[in-house]
Amino acid sequence: MALKTILYQGGEFEISYEILNPTCSQNLIILHGWGSSKALMNQAFSQSFKEFCHIYIDLPGFGNSKSPPFPLQTQDYAEIVKLILSQLDKKIDCVMGHSFGGKVGVLLNPSTLILLSSAGIPKEKSLKIHFKIALSKTLNRICPPLSLALKKILRSKDVENMNEIMYQTFKNVVDEDFSNYFAHYNNLALIFWGRQDTTTPLKSGEKIATLIKKSHFYVLEGEHFFFLDKGKVIEELYHSL
């Protein structure tokens, strides 16, 4: 593990990263999903894609990277990744992104994009969620303290134990529609999805595959972290093109 400190929009960011196969000329930037870390991605892919220099990055607020000094948007995460790669003197060749990392990845506009159950297609909210939102808005008008208490109770499990900056960041990025970004990505994309994924449902992957013109779509067995034991399978499918 190594650390780099970068400056972005007046704030200081301490970023943890790891590089494997450093002498390879082509770079594979590997980005984890929300609440995850580079360690999980390393576990899945360190023995695959050995013709690439692997660059694993803990995005700000995750793994061994410190929490950001202010709330971020997905675009901010992409700019921070660009800055760290510039400091490392590493060009962007291929990017692999899981879930939230897929949204960051498409903004980097690599020559090849590998998506693993990417976020970016909003899920339809259930009636239960709509009711909670309506109740919270009503309480906010008539009794703000009670509304604040309710919001804390209803917070997603994804944000348990988060500080306020990361919670605000989560709210900024959780329901983004990246359809337009996927549609305007004009390079090669390999899209892998877990058949039983309920976090980013299979139909989200099918939609992304229709939006990206030069895409290949593969459905593999498993849920949101289907890729953990499928590094070699994903590598073989990549090389089969």
Side-chain angles (χ1 to χ4, degrees), residues 75-202:
Q75 287 84 355
D76 296 316
Y77 276 98
E79 292 302 317
I80 289 165
V81 169
K82 289 178 185 177
L83 286 172
I84 189 71
L85 292 173
S86 177
Q87 279 205 18
L88 295 171
D89 196 25
K90 296 292 185 181
K91 65 184 187 301
I92 299 173
D93 296 310
C94 181
V95 173
M96 175 188 291
H98 172 234
S99 196
F100 176 65
K103 292 198 301 182
V104 177
V106 74
L107 294 177
L108 298 175
N109 195 35
S111 56
T112 304
L113 179 64
I114 302 174
L115 297 177
L116 309 171
S117 281
S118 179
I121 304 298
K123 290 197 296 185
E124 291 182 7
K125 291 184 173 65
S126 67
L127 288 175
K128 182 178 180 182
I129 295 296
H130 281 296
F131 171 76
K132 288 179 178 179
I133 292 171
L135 177 60
S136 180
K137 287 181 177 179
T138 300
L139 289 175
N140 193 49
R141 288 198 307 270
I142 64 177
C143 186
L146 187 56
S147 174
L148 181 61
L150 179 66
K151 286 177 182 177
K152 290 181 179 179
I153 293 171
L154 299 181
R155 279 189 177 187
S156 164
K157 289 185 178 180
D158 287 329
V159 298
E160 286 180 359
N161 302 318
M162 278 186 191
N163 61 42
E164 192 59 31
I165 287 176
M166 287 306 294
Y167 177 55
Q168 291 300 322
T169 298
F170 176 78
K171 291 200 299 181
N172 288 343
V173 307
V174 66
D175 287 326
E176 292 173 308
D177 187 346
F178 260 47
S179 296
N180 191 51
Y181 293 108
F182 292 128
H184 283 85
Y185 176 74
N186 294 316
N187 297 326
L188 176 65
L190 289 83
I191 305 167
F192 296 92
W193 225 266
R195 190 183 305 276
Q196 292 80 28
D197 194 337
T198 56
T199 303
T200 51
L202 185 57

Side-chain angles (χ1 to χ4, degrees), residues 190-231:
L190 289 83
I191 305 167
F192 296 92
W193 225 266
R195 190 183 305 276
Q196 292 80 28
D197 194 337
T198 56
T199 303
T200 51
L202 185 57
K203 64 180 181 180
S204 297
E206 293 168 344
K207 181 173 181 180
I208 293 173
T210 65
L211 292 169
I212 299 179
K213 302 172 188 66
K214 299 177 185 176
S215 66
H216 301 265
F217 187 51
Y218 306 94
V219 180
L220 304 178
E221 293 302 313
E223 299 184 357
H224 194 52
F225 291 90
F226 71 93
F227 59 89
L228 285 177
D229 61 351
K230 293 182 174 63

